[in-house]
Every structure is written in C-alpha cells, then in structure tokens.
Amino acid sequence: MKNYTELSDIKDLQQLITEALELKKSTSTLEIGKGKTLGMLFFNPSLRTRLSSEKAAKLLGMEVMVMNAGSDSWKLEFEDGAVMDSDKAEHIKEAAAVLSQYCDIIAVRAFPDLKDKEKDEAETVLNSFKKFASVPVVNLESATGHPLQALTDAMTISELNKKDKPKVVLSWAPHPKTLPQSVPNSFAEIMQNLDVDFVITNPEGYDLNPKITKNVSVIHDQAEALKDADFVYVKNWSSYENYGQKLSEDRNWTFSAKKLKLTNNAKVMHCLPVRRNMVIADEVLDSENSVVIQQAGNRTFAAQAVLKRILEEKVQAKDLGKNA
Ligand code: CP
C-alpha cells in the first residue's frame, strides 16, 4: 500500500482485517517504525482519529508530530498560479515538500465546506498533499470519505459477527448540524466488499451519492429496513441531492429501544462523537447492544494495520532498489 487515501488502496480487505485483529491481540511494540516519523495535520477537530493514530504509530515504534493546520501553522494556498495577496501565507507546493523532509508518512484531516459539491468532490486538500508530498499520504477523513473509520467498522463487524451473511443496516438519524457524507460513504463502500446483506435507510432527499451506493437497496421506510438486522450503523449526514443541506430533523428517525426491538437484537454502531437522544437514545447507547466503545477502541488497530502496510511497502521498495 503506497498511500491510504481511499478504500480502493486496499487490495486484500479480508487479509488486512485479519491483520488488524491479530495486532489487537498482540501485546508487543513492533520495530518496523523505529526511526520513522508520522506527521499529522488537522484542518478540523478530532478526538479518536488523532489519538488512535498516534497510539497506532507509537505501537509500531514511530515518532509522531501533530499540527492543527491553519491555526498553529501558516494558512495554506492550494490554487495553482494564485497571486498570494490574501491571508494564505504558504503554498501547498512548499508546505508538502518541506513536510516530506521531516516525515516518513503524512496524514491529513480536511472536511468539506458542504457548499460546492464539485469542489468537495475534487478533494483538493488531500489530492494536493498526494501530488506535492514525496512520502505516503493517509486520509484521516476528507471531504468525501473516512477510510480509516470504515476499516475499523468492517473489523468490528468481523469481530462480532456470528453468521455467514449478517444483515447490516445503515440508518440515517437527525442531527442539529449539517454533517458530511464521508463516514456513510466509506461505510457503504466497504460493506459492498464484505459478505453481508447491506441495506441503507434514510428519509427521501437523503440518498447518498449513487456512484457510491451503486446497487445497494435504499429503503425510505426505516421500520421495514430494520427488520431482522444483525448490525445497525446509525449516522446523520446532510443531503447529497440538495448538496450540504439539512432537509429534516425528524426525531422519529432517532434510534430508540423501540427501533432496536424491530431488529434481530442488533449490535448498534456509530463512529462517535454521538449526540445522545438525538441520534441514538440513552437506553440504546447504555445497553449491551451498543458496541460504539469497542468500535472506537478498534480505531488503533485498523490504523496500526494500515501504517504497518505502508512501512512494509517502503522497506520492500527500498530493498528492490538496492537489488536492482
Ligand atoms: N470517528 C471519528 O473520526 O472521531 P473523531 O472525529 O473524534 O476523530
């Protein structure tokens, strides 16, 4: 794996999940990252991604540098040919090249503006780092995807699943803010690569990008969709069709104990942070059905598996260069 910016960078999903689960059981710190540095740049806040990735890197023996981009550092210009007379003091061309001197892997979090679909889908921040950095780049959640979260989610389902083909439902929930589609996009993408019966349920107007959901069944009746579910992933997202808009805050979609009763005693998932009694009711989050803490715990091992893969590939590429 050269970069991990999208799920298609994983060529052997099952093997990577197995490896992440093995890393979870392991008690030893590895040596592969010794003398190597992970640099993380956050354009947006984070609790889990920041700390689990730092822990993952340290478990591999890496050093870690973290920066809140824009507030701690100079504001970055991404436009090619820009006359830099605004508040943006540094161009990505220099910034990425300089960071590549200090870091062996650069990881970036950059959320969408949710105003201009085309602009967000261009993934300017992430793709600029890929273009101008000379080291591998990892996506810590971008405008359209959160592949580290998705790998964790797939790992958690694999860990808990007791069936040949479990039913997994991604269920939209109300939220006071407009949120990106990154987490549901990546979850929908990764579920299509697992042996699961995958269904999405959301109100009219909230269908995700059809290029991502492809042939997945989208049911607008939540009760019907939840029937016999073994796993329910609850998540809010803003409208894709009416891009970035909040069309509804319908509390009938809040995942409650009544909704849980419609399922096959489902495990309830969420990427966190979660708005209690808005997205998921206390009675569910505080029940044995909730696996959100286990899910967040798995973030470390999914990140560790990804960073390890990247480091291994770098070692292999170096050895090939030596032997050529
Ligand atoms: N799930 C997730 O990405 O959490 P943070 O935003 O806290 O990193």
Side-chain angles (χ1 to χ4, degrees):
M1 195 188 290
K2 209 173 168 116
N3 299 293
Y4 187 52
T5 55
E6 51 194 75
L7 284 165
S8 59
D9 290 325
I10 303 176
K11 301 298 173 219
D12 48 359
L13 177 61
Q14 282 300 343
Q15 209 178 312
L16 196 63
I17 291 171
T18 304
E19 201 168 326
L21 288 167
E22 277 165 8
L23 287 166
K24 185 175 180 176
K25 283 188 209 136
S26 162
T27 48
S28 54
T29 301
L30 302 176
E31 294 283 304
I32 190 162
K34 212 169 169 196
K36 309 277 183 211
T37 301
L38 169 69
M40 293 198 283
L41 280 182
F42 284 86
F43 290 84
N44 309 95
S46 168
L47 187 151
R48 280 144 289 274
T49 306
R50 179 168 172 161
L51 298 181
S52 62
S53 302
E54 179 164 348
K55 184 168 178 186
K58 286 180 175 167
L59 285 169
L60 294 168
M62 298 182 85
E63 300 291 329
V64 181
M65 296 192 294
V66 189
M67 185 172 264
N68 293 316
S71 55
D72 290 352
S73 65
W74 304 109
K75 273 200 178 144
L76 295 181
E77 176 62 67
F78 289 91
E79 198 186 313
D80 199 21
V83 176
M84 289 175 58
D85 58 359
S86 73
D87 59 340
K88 295 170 184 166
E90 178 150 29
H91 202 280
I92 182 66
K93 288 185 182 180
E94 283 78 42
V98 170
L99 285 167
S100 302
Q101 314 277 306
Y102 307 150
C103 307
D104 299 278
I105 300 175
I106 298 173
V108 182
R109 167 168 280 199
F111 289 174
D113 289 339
L114 290 176
K115 287 182 188 121
D116 181 340
K117 186 189 280 188
E118 224 171 277
K119 188 167 163 269
D120 287 346
E121 289 187 338
E123 292 280 14
T124 305
V125 177
L126 194 67
N127 285 331
S128 299
F129 274 98
K130 268 177 84 174
K131 188 171 176 185
F132 298 114
S134 56
V135 298
V137 174
V138 172
N139 181 349
L140 298 174
E141 187 172 346
S142 67
T144 62
H146 197 350
L148 272 177
Q149 179 68 53
L151 180 60
T152 309
D153 300 334
M155 178 191 167
T156 308
I157 289 174
S158 298
E159 190 176 32
L160 291 164
N161 180 37
K162 294 188 178 83
K163 278 187 170 174
D164 282 345
K165 195 172 177 133
K167 180 173 176 183
V168 179
V169 180
L170 171 62
S171 186
W172 182 90
H175 197 283
K177 294 197 163 184
T178 50
L179 299 191
Q181 296 115 24
S182 318
V183 169
N185 278 348
S186 293
F187 186 71
E189 228 178 322
I190 208 161
M191 285 303 109
Q192 290 172 74
N193 286 291
L194 288 186
D195 197 13
V196 300
D197 171 17
F198 181 51
V199 171
I200 303 174
T201 183
N202 53 255
E204 301 269 0
Y206 277 99
D207 289 5
L208 292 164
N209 181 352
K211 284 190 186 144
I212 290 174
T213 56
K214 294 177 187 154
N215 295 323
V216 173
S217 165
V218 180
I219 300 175
H220 296 131
D221 180 337
Q222 191 190 30
E224 187 196 327
L226 290 174
K227 201 166 169 283
D228 300 327
D230 300 297
F231 293 88
V232 181
Y233 199 106
V234 189
K235 184 73 184 88
N236 169 269
W237 61 87
S238 58
S239 174
Y240 179 75
E241 197 180 317
N242 295 287
Y243 190 68
Q245 287 183 35
K246 187 168 81 168
L247 310 176
S248 162
E249 213 181 279
D250 185 354
R251 309 288 170 102
N252 288 317
W253 281 78
T254 300
F255 198 80
S256 61
K258 207 171 132 196
K259 300 282 165 69
L260 184 60
K261 280 207 180 95
L262 300 169
T263 70
N264 181 30
N265 196 26
K267 300 289 183 203
V268 180
M269 304 176 71
H270 190 282
C271 60
L272 303 182
V274 63
R275 301 259 180 165
R276 280 178 169 256
N277 303 312
M278 181 95 199
V279 175
I280 305 179
D282 278 345
E283 68 220 17
V284 175
L285 278 170
D286 296 332
S287 76
E288 284 187 359
N289 292 75
S290 170
V291 296
V292 298
I293 304 301
Q294 180 174 341
Q295 199 182 340
N298 283 341
R299 291 293 308 269
T300 299
F301 308 105
Q304 199 184 352
V306 166
L307 294 174
K308 184 168 169 280
R309 270 293 170 86
I310 292 172
L311 291 170
E312 282 167 353
E313 184 138 323
K314 277 186 106 175
V315 171
Q316 276 168 12
K318 205 172 161 192
D319 287 350
L320 276 176
K322 260 190 216 158
N323 298 331

